[in-house]
Short mmCIF file of all heavy atoms in Angstrom, two decimals:
data_model
loop_
_atom_site.label_atom_id
_atom_site.label_comp_id
_atom_site.label_asym_id
_atom_site.label_seq_id
_atom_site.Cartn_x
_atom_site.Cartn_y
_atom_site.Cartn_z
N SER A 4 2.23 -2.69 -12.86
CA SER A 4 2.05 -1.42 -13.58
C SER A 4 2.63 -0.29 -12.76
O SER A 4 2.75 -0.38 -11.55
CB SER A 4 0.56 -1.17 -13.86
OG SER A 4 -0.16 -1.01 -12.65
N PHE A 5 3.01 0.77 -13.46
CA PHE A 5 3.54 1.95 -12.78
C PHE A 5 3.07 3.20 -13.50
O PHE A 5 2.78 3.18 -14.69
CB PHE A 5 5.07 1.91 -12.69
CG PHE A 5 5.76 1.83 -14.04
CD1 PHE A 5 5.96 2.96 -14.81
CD2 PHE A 5 6.20 0.61 -14.52
CE1 PHE A 5 6.60 2.88 -16.04
CE2 PHE A 5 6.83 0.51 -15.76
CZ PHE A 5 7.03 1.66 -16.51
N LYS A 6 3.01 4.29 -12.76
CA LYS A 6 2.68 5.61 -13.31
C LYS A 6 3.74 6.59 -12.85
O LYS A 6 4.05 6.67 -11.66
CB LYS A 6 1.29 6.06 -12.86
CG LYS A 6 0.16 5.22 -13.45
CD LYS A 6 -1.21 5.76 -13.07
CE LYS A 6 -1.57 5.40 -11.66
NZ LYS A 6 -2.97 5.77 -11.33
N LEU A 7 4.31 7.33 -13.82
CA LEU A 7 5.37 8.30 -13.54
C LEU A 7 4.93 9.66 -14.06
O LEU A 7 4.53 9.79 -15.22
CB LEU A 7 6.66 7.89 -14.24
CG LEU A 7 7.13 6.44 -14.07
CD1 LEU A 7 8.30 6.16 -15.01
CD2 LEU A 7 7.52 6.18 -12.63
N GLY A 8 4.99 10.69 -13.24
CA GLY A 8 4.56 12.00 -13.68
C GLY A 8 5.48 13.13 -13.28
O GLY A 8 5.86 13.23 -12.11
N LEU A 9 5.84 13.97 -14.25
CA LEU A 9 6.52 15.23 -13.97
C LEU A 9 5.60 16.42 -14.29
O LEU A 9 5.82 17.52 -13.79
CB LEU A 9 7.81 15.36 -14.80
CG LEU A 9 8.99 14.50 -14.36
CD1 LEU A 9 10.17 14.72 -15.29
CD2 LEU A 9 9.40 14.78 -12.92
N GLY A 10 4.61 16.16 -15.15
CA GLY A 10 3.65 17.21 -15.50
C GLY A 10 2.23 16.78 -15.25
O GLY A 10 1.27 17.46 -15.62
N VAL A 11 2.07 15.61 -14.64
CA VAL A 11 0.75 15.07 -14.29
C VAL A 11 0.84 14.57 -12.86
O VAL A 11 1.80 13.89 -12.50
CB VAL A 11 0.35 13.91 -15.24
CG1 VAL A 11 -0.94 13.25 -14.77
CG2 VAL A 11 0.21 14.41 -16.66
N LYS A 12 -0.15 14.88 -12.04
CA LYS A 12 -0.14 14.47 -10.64
C LYS A 12 -1.05 13.29 -10.43
O LYS A 12 -2.17 13.25 -10.95
CB LYS A 12 -0.59 15.63 -9.74
CG LYS A 12 -0.34 15.40 -8.26
CD LYS A 12 1.15 15.29 -7.94
CE LYS A 12 1.38 15.00 -6.45
NZ LYS A 12 2.80 14.70 -6.19
N THR A 13 -0.57 12.30 -9.67
CA THR A 13 -1.38 11.13 -9.35
C THR A 13 -1.07 10.68 -7.93
O THR A 13 -0.11 11.16 -7.31
CB THR A 13 -1.09 9.98 -10.34
OG1 THR A 13 -2.02 8.91 -10.11
CG2 THR A 13 0.33 9.45 -10.19
N GLU A 14 -1.88 9.78 -7.39
CA GLU A 14 -1.67 9.28 -6.04
C GLU A 14 -0.40 8.44 -5.99
O GLU A 14 -0.23 7.49 -6.76
CB GLU A 14 -2.86 8.42 -5.61
CG GLU A 14 -2.73 7.78 -4.24
CD GLU A 14 -2.68 8.79 -3.10
OE1 GLU A 14 -3.26 9.88 -3.26
OE2 GLU A 14 -2.08 8.49 -2.07
N GLY A 15 0.50 8.78 -5.09
CA GLY A 15 1.80 8.10 -5.04
C GLY A 15 1.81 6.94 -4.06
O GLY A 15 2.55 6.97 -3.08
N ASN A 16 1.01 5.92 -4.33
CA ASN A 16 0.97 4.78 -3.41
C ASN A 16 1.53 3.52 -4.06
O ASN A 16 1.84 3.48 -5.25
CB ASN A 16 -0.45 4.54 -2.90
CG ASN A 16 -1.46 4.33 -4.01
OD1 ASN A 16 -1.07 4.10 -5.16
ND2 ASN A 16 -2.73 4.40 -3.70
N LEU A 17 1.66 2.48 -3.23
CA LEU A 17 2.13 1.18 -3.69
C LEU A 17 1.16 0.13 -3.19
O LEU A 17 0.82 0.10 -2.00
CB LEU A 17 3.53 0.90 -3.12
CG LEU A 17 4.10 -0.52 -3.28
CD1 LEU A 17 4.34 -0.86 -4.74
CD2 LEU A 17 5.41 -0.65 -2.47
N ILE A 18 0.67 -0.71 -4.11
CA ILE A 18 -0.25 -1.79 -3.75
C ILE A 18 0.31 -3.10 -4.28
O ILE A 18 0.60 -3.22 -5.48
CB ILE A 18 -1.66 -1.55 -4.32
CG1 ILE A 18 -2.23 -0.23 -3.77
CG2 ILE A 18 -2.59 -2.71 -3.96
CD1 ILE A 18 -3.55 0.18 -4.40
N ILE A 19 0.46 -4.08 -3.40
CA ILE A 19 0.95 -5.40 -3.78
C ILE A 19 -0.17 -6.40 -3.51
O ILE A 19 -0.54 -6.62 -2.36
CB ILE A 19 2.21 -5.77 -2.98
CG1 ILE A 19 3.28 -4.68 -3.15
CG2 ILE A 19 2.75 -7.12 -3.41
CD1 ILE A 19 4.44 -4.81 -2.19
N SER A 20 -0.72 -6.98 -4.57
CA SER A 20 -1.90 -7.85 -4.46
C SER A 20 -1.49 -9.31 -4.50
O SER A 20 -0.74 -9.75 -5.38
CB SER A 20 -2.87 -7.56 -5.60
OG SER A 20 -3.27 -6.20 -5.58
N GLY A 21 -2.02 -10.10 -3.54
CA GLY A 21 -1.71 -11.52 -3.48
C GLY A 21 -2.95 -12.38 -3.38
O GLY A 21 -4.07 -11.87 -3.28
N THR A 22 -2.75 -13.68 -3.37
CA THR A 22 -3.87 -14.62 -3.35
C THR A 22 -4.52 -14.74 -1.97
O THR A 22 -5.61 -15.31 -1.84
CB THR A 22 -3.40 -16.01 -3.82
OG1 THR A 22 -2.25 -16.40 -3.02
CG2 THR A 22 -2.99 -15.98 -5.28
N LYS A 23 -3.87 -14.20 -0.92
CA LYS A 23 -4.45 -14.24 0.42
C LYS A 23 -4.84 -12.87 0.95
O LYS A 23 -5.63 -12.75 1.88
CB LYS A 23 -3.44 -14.87 1.41
CG LYS A 23 -3.12 -16.33 1.15
CD LYS A 23 -2.10 -16.84 2.17
CE LYS A 23 -1.73 -18.29 1.93
NZ LYS A 23 -0.70 -18.77 2.92
N GLY A 24 -4.25 -11.82 0.38
CA GLY A 24 -4.51 -10.46 0.84
C GLY A 24 -3.65 -9.49 0.05
O GLY A 24 -3.06 -9.86 -0.97
N TYR A 25 -3.56 -8.25 0.53
CA TYR A 25 -2.72 -7.29 -0.18
C TYR A 25 -2.04 -6.34 0.81
O TYR A 25 -2.46 -6.21 1.97
CB TYR A 25 -3.53 -6.51 -1.21
CG TYR A 25 -4.52 -5.49 -0.66
CD1 TYR A 25 -4.19 -4.14 -0.56
CD2 TYR A 25 -5.81 -5.87 -0.28
CE1 TYR A 25 -5.11 -3.21 -0.08
CE2 TYR A 25 -6.72 -4.96 0.19
CZ TYR A 25 -6.37 -3.62 0.28
OH TYR A 25 -7.27 -2.70 0.76
N ILE A 26 -0.98 -5.70 0.33
CA ILE A 26 -0.26 -4.71 1.13
C ILE A 26 -0.49 -3.34 0.52
O ILE A 26 -0.36 -3.16 -0.70
CB ILE A 26 1.25 -5.03 1.20
CG1 ILE A 26 1.48 -6.28 2.05
CG2 ILE A 26 2.03 -3.86 1.78
CD1 ILE A 26 2.93 -6.68 2.19
N TYR A 27 -0.84 -2.39 1.38
CA TYR A 27 -1.06 -1.01 0.94
C TYR A 27 -0.03 -0.11 1.62
O TYR A 27 0.10 -0.10 2.84
CB TYR A 27 -2.47 -0.56 1.31
CG TYR A 27 -2.70 0.92 1.08
CD1 TYR A 27 -2.87 1.42 -0.20
CD2 TYR A 27 -2.73 1.82 2.15
CE1 TYR A 27 -3.06 2.78 -0.43
CE2 TYR A 27 -2.94 3.17 1.94
CZ TYR A 27 -3.11 3.64 0.64
OH TYR A 27 -3.30 4.99 0.43
N VAL A 28 0.72 0.65 0.79
CA VAL A 28 1.69 1.62 1.31
C VAL A 28 1.26 2.99 0.80
O VAL A 28 1.26 3.23 -0.40
CB VAL A 28 3.13 1.32 0.83
CG1 VAL A 28 4.13 2.16 1.62
CG2 VAL A 28 3.46 -0.16 0.92
N PRO A 29 0.86 3.91 1.69
CA PRO A 29 0.38 5.21 1.26
C PRO A 29 1.51 6.10 0.73
O PRO A 29 2.69 5.83 0.98
CB PRO A 29 -0.24 5.80 2.52
CG PRO A 29 0.52 5.16 3.64
CD PRO A 29 0.84 3.76 3.16
N SER A 30 1.12 7.15 0.05
CA SER A 30 2.09 8.14 -0.43
C SER A 30 2.73 8.88 0.75
O SER A 30 2.04 9.18 1.73
CB SER A 30 1.37 9.13 -1.34
OG SER A 30 2.24 10.13 -1.81
N PRO A 31 4.02 9.16 0.69
CA PRO A 31 4.98 8.74 -0.34
C PRO A 31 5.57 7.37 0.00
O PRO A 31 6.37 7.25 0.92
CB PRO A 31 6.05 9.83 -0.26
CG PRO A 31 6.04 10.27 1.18
CD PRO A 31 4.63 10.08 1.67
N TRP A 32 5.17 6.36 -0.74
CA TRP A 32 5.55 4.99 -0.42
C TRP A 32 7.06 4.78 -0.48
O TRP A 32 7.60 3.89 0.19
CB TRP A 32 4.85 4.00 -1.35
CG TRP A 32 5.32 4.05 -2.77
CD1 TRP A 32 4.74 4.73 -3.80
CD2 TRP A 32 6.47 3.41 -3.33
NE1 TRP A 32 5.46 4.56 -4.96
CE2 TRP A 32 6.53 3.76 -4.70
CE3 TRP A 32 7.46 2.58 -2.80
CZ2 TRP A 32 7.53 3.31 -5.54
CZ3 TRP A 32 8.47 2.13 -3.64
CH2 TRP A 32 8.50 2.49 -5.00
N TRP A 33 7.77 5.59 -1.31
CA TRP A 33 9.21 5.41 -1.47
C TRP A 33 9.98 5.87 -0.23
O TRP A 33 11.17 5.62 -0.11
CB TRP A 33 9.70 6.17 -2.71
CG TRP A 33 9.26 7.60 -2.75
CD1 TRP A 33 9.93 8.70 -2.31
CD2 TRP A 33 8.02 8.08 -3.28
NE1 TRP A 33 9.20 9.83 -2.51
CE2 TRP A 33 8.02 9.50 -3.12
CE3 TRP A 33 6.91 7.48 -3.87
CZ2 TRP A 33 6.95 10.29 -3.51
CZ3 TRP A 33 5.84 8.28 -4.28
CH2 TRP A 33 5.87 9.66 -4.10
N LYS A 34 9.29 6.53 0.71
CA LYS A 34 9.88 6.82 2.02
C LYS A 34 9.13 5.96 3.04
O LYS A 34 8.43 6.47 3.91
CB LYS A 34 9.74 8.30 2.36
CG LYS A 34 10.46 9.23 1.39
CD LYS A 34 10.25 10.68 1.79
CE LYS A 34 10.90 11.63 0.80
NZ LYS A 34 10.68 13.06 1.18
N THR A 35 9.29 4.67 2.92
CA THR A 35 8.43 3.73 3.64
C THR A 35 8.60 3.81 5.15
O THR A 35 9.60 3.35 5.71
CB THR A 35 8.71 2.29 3.18
OG1 THR A 35 8.78 2.24 1.76
CG2 THR A 35 7.64 1.34 3.68
N ASP A 36 7.61 4.41 5.82
CA ASP A 36 7.62 4.42 7.28
C ASP A 36 6.33 3.81 7.86
O ASP A 36 6.17 3.73 9.07
CB ASP A 36 7.83 5.84 7.83
CG ASP A 36 6.75 6.81 7.37
OD1 ASP A 36 5.81 6.39 6.67
OD2 ASP A 36 6.86 8.01 7.71
N TYR A 37 5.44 3.38 6.95
CA TYR A 37 4.17 2.80 7.40
C TYR A 37 3.55 2.00 6.25
O TYR A 37 3.61 2.40 5.10
CB TYR A 37 3.20 3.91 7.82
CG TYR A 37 1.77 3.45 8.00
CD1 TYR A 37 1.39 2.74 9.13
CD2 TYR A 37 0.80 3.72 7.03
CE1 TYR A 37 0.07 2.32 9.30
CE2 TYR A 37 -0.51 3.30 7.19
CZ TYR A 37 -0.87 2.60 8.33
OH TYR A 37 -2.15 2.17 8.49
N PHE A 38 2.99 0.84 6.57
CA PHE A 38 2.18 0.11 5.59
C PHE A 38 1.21 -0.80 6.30
O PHE A 38 1.32 -1.05 7.50
CB PHE A 38 3.07 -0.68 4.60
CG PHE A 38 3.91 -1.77 5.20
CD1 PHE A 38 3.39 -3.03 5.45
CD2 PHE A 38 5.26 -1.54 5.50
CE1 PHE A 38 4.18 -4.04 5.98
CE2 PHE A 38 6.05 -2.53 6.03
CZ PHE A 38 5.51 -3.79 6.28
N GLU A 39 0.23 -1.28 5.56
CA GLU A 39 -0.81 -2.16 6.11
C GLU A 39 -0.88 -3.45 5.32
O GLU A 39 -0.75 -3.44 4.09
CB GLU A 39 -2.18 -1.48 6.06
CG GLU A 39 -2.30 -0.21 6.88
CD GLU A 39 -3.69 0.40 6.76
OE1 GLU A 39 -4.63 -0.32 6.34
OE2 GLU A 39 -3.83 1.60 7.08
N ILE A 40 -1.09 -4.55 6.01
CA ILE A 40 -1.46 -5.81 5.37
C ILE A 40 -2.97 -5.97 5.56
O ILE A 40 -3.46 -5.94 6.69
CB ILE A 40 -0.72 -7.01 5.97
CG1 ILE A 40 0.80 -6.83 5.81
CG2 ILE A 40 -1.16 -8.31 5.30
CD1 ILE A 40 1.61 -7.98 6.38
N ARG A 41 -3.69 -6.10 4.47
CA ARG A 41 -5.15 -6.16 4.52
C ARG A 41 -5.65 -7.50 3.97
O ARG A 41 -5.16 -7.98 2.95
CB ARG A 41 -5.76 -5.00 3.71
CG ARG A 41 -5.41 -3.63 4.27
CD ARG A 41 -5.92 -2.51 3.39
NE ARG A 41 -5.68 -1.19 3.98
CZ ARG A 41 -5.96 -0.05 3.36
NH1 ARG A 41 -6.50 -0.07 2.15
NH2 ARG A 41 -5.70 1.11 3.96
N TYR A 42 -6.64 -8.05 4.68
CA TYR A 42 -7.21 -9.34 4.31
C TYR A 42 -8.71 -9.21 4.07
O TYR A 42 -9.32 -8.16 4.29
CB TYR A 42 -6.94 -10.36 5.41
CG TYR A 42 -5.48 -10.67 5.63
CD1 TYR A 42 -4.78 -10.10 6.69
CD2 TYR A 42 -4.79 -11.52 4.77
CE1 TYR A 42 -3.43 -10.38 6.90
CE2 TYR A 42 -3.44 -11.80 4.97
CZ TYR A 42 -2.77 -11.24 6.03
OH TYR A 42 -1.44 -11.51 6.21
N GLU A 43 -9.32 -10.32 3.63
CA GLU A 43 -10.77 -10.35 3.42
C GLU A 43 -11.50 -10.05 4.73
O GLU A 43 -12.49 -9.31 4.75
CB GLU A 43 -11.18 -11.73 2.89
CG GLU A 43 -12.63 -11.85 2.47
CD GLU A 43 -12.94 -11.09 1.19
OE1 GLU A 43 -11.99 -10.76 0.43
OE2 GLU A 43 -14.12 -10.80 0.94
N ASP A 44 -11.01 -10.62 5.82
CA ASP A 44 -11.56 -10.32 7.14
C ASP A 44 -10.76 -9.16 7.75
O ASP A 44 -9.59 -9.31 8.12
CB ASP A 44 -11.43 -11.55 8.05
CG ASP A 44 -11.98 -11.33 9.45
OD1 ASP A 44 -12.38 -10.19 9.76
OD2 ASP A 44 -12.00 -12.31 10.23
N PRO A 45 -11.35 -7.96 7.84
CA PRO A 45 -10.61 -6.78 8.30
C PRO A 45 -10.08 -6.91 9.73
O PRO A 45 -9.15 -6.18 10.10
CB PRO A 45 -11.63 -5.65 8.20
CG PRO A 45 -12.96 -6.33 8.15
CD PRO A 45 -12.74 -7.65 7.49
N THR A 46 -10.62 -7.83 10.52
CA THR A 46 -10.12 -8.00 11.89
C THR A 46 -8.71 -8.61 11.90
O THR A 46 -8.03 -8.58 12.93
CB THR A 46 -11.06 -8.88 12.73
OG1 THR A 46 -11.11 -10.20 12.16
CG2 THR A 46 -12.46 -8.29 12.77
N GLU A 47 -8.30 -9.18 10.78
CA GLU A 47 -6.98 -9.79 10.67
C GLU A 47 -5.92 -8.80 10.13
O GLU A 47 -4.74 -9.13 10.05
CB GLU A 47 -7.02 -11.01 9.77
CG GLU A 47 -7.90 -12.14 10.32
CD GLU A 47 -7.92 -13.36 9.41
OE1 GLU A 47 -7.25 -13.30 8.35
OE2 GLU A 47 -8.57 -14.34 9.74
N ASN A 48 -6.37 -7.60 9.75
CA ASN A 48 -5.44 -6.62 9.19
C ASN A 48 -4.34 -6.25 10.19
O ASN A 48 -4.57 -6.26 11.40
CB ASN A 48 -6.19 -5.35 8.78
CG ASN A 48 -7.12 -5.58 7.60
OD1 ASN A 48 -7.17 -6.69 7.04
ND2 ASN A 48 -7.86 -4.57 7.23
N LYS A 49 -3.17 -5.92 9.66
CA LYS A 49 -2.05 -5.53 10.51
C LYS A 49 -1.43 -4.23 9.99
O LYS A 49 -1.35 -4.01 8.78
CB LYS A 49 -0.99 -6.63 10.54
CG LYS A 49 -1.46 -7.92 11.21
CD LYS A 49 -0.36 -8.96 11.24
CE LYS A 49 -0.84 -10.24 11.91
NZ LYS A 49 0.23 -11.29 11.94
N ARG A 50 -0.98 -3.40 10.92
CA ARG A 50 -0.32 -2.14 10.58
C ARG A 50 1.11 -2.16 11.10
O ARG A 50 1.37 -2.64 12.19
CB ARG A 50 -1.07 -0.96 11.19
CG ARG A 50 -2.48 -0.79 10.65
CD ARG A 50 -3.16 0.40 11.31
NE ARG A 50 -4.49 0.63 10.77
CZ ARG A 50 -5.28 1.63 11.13
NH1 ARG A 50 -4.86 2.50 12.05
NH2 ARG A 50 -6.48 1.75 10.58
N TYR A 51 2.01 -1.62 10.30
CA TYR A 51 3.43 -1.60 10.65
C TYR A 51 3.95 -0.16 10.56
O TYR A 51 3.73 0.52 9.56
CB TYR A 51 4.23 -2.50 9.71
CG TYR A 51 3.89 -3.96 9.82
CD1 TYR A 51 2.79 -4.49 9.13
CD2 TYR A 51 4.65 -4.82 10.61
CE1 TYR A 51 2.48 -5.84 9.23
CE2 TYR A 51 4.34 -6.17 10.71
CZ TYR A 51 3.25 -6.67 10.03
OH TYR A 51 2.94 -8.00 10.13
#
């Protein structure tokens, strides 16, 4: 799914959900300089 706004403001993030965990890229995700891989066990999370 996607949300596009020129007259409506929304959180500009990217979330990719998988069967083992998910990747979260904060706004502005399209200028990707940081993201996190998150798992069920937060001690296994990684930041890039």
Side-chain angles (χ1 to χ4, degrees):
S4 64
F5 58 82
K6 292 184 283 187
L7 311 171
L9 287 178
V11 174
K12 192 64 182 172
T13 187
E14 177 65 28
N16 56 14
L17 169 66
I18 300 173
I19 305 168
S20 302
T22 53
K23 295 179 181 178
Y25 71 97
I26 290 180
Y27 171 75
V28 192
S30 179
W32 69 263
W33 51 94
K34 298 179 183 180
T35 314
D36 59 3
Y37 167 76
F38 63 84
E39 297 179 18
I40 300 180
R41 297 175 176 176
Y42 296 102
E43 187 72 18
D44 180 355
T46 63
E47 296 181 0
N48 292 357
K49 294 181 180 179
R50 296 180 177 183
Y51 295 84

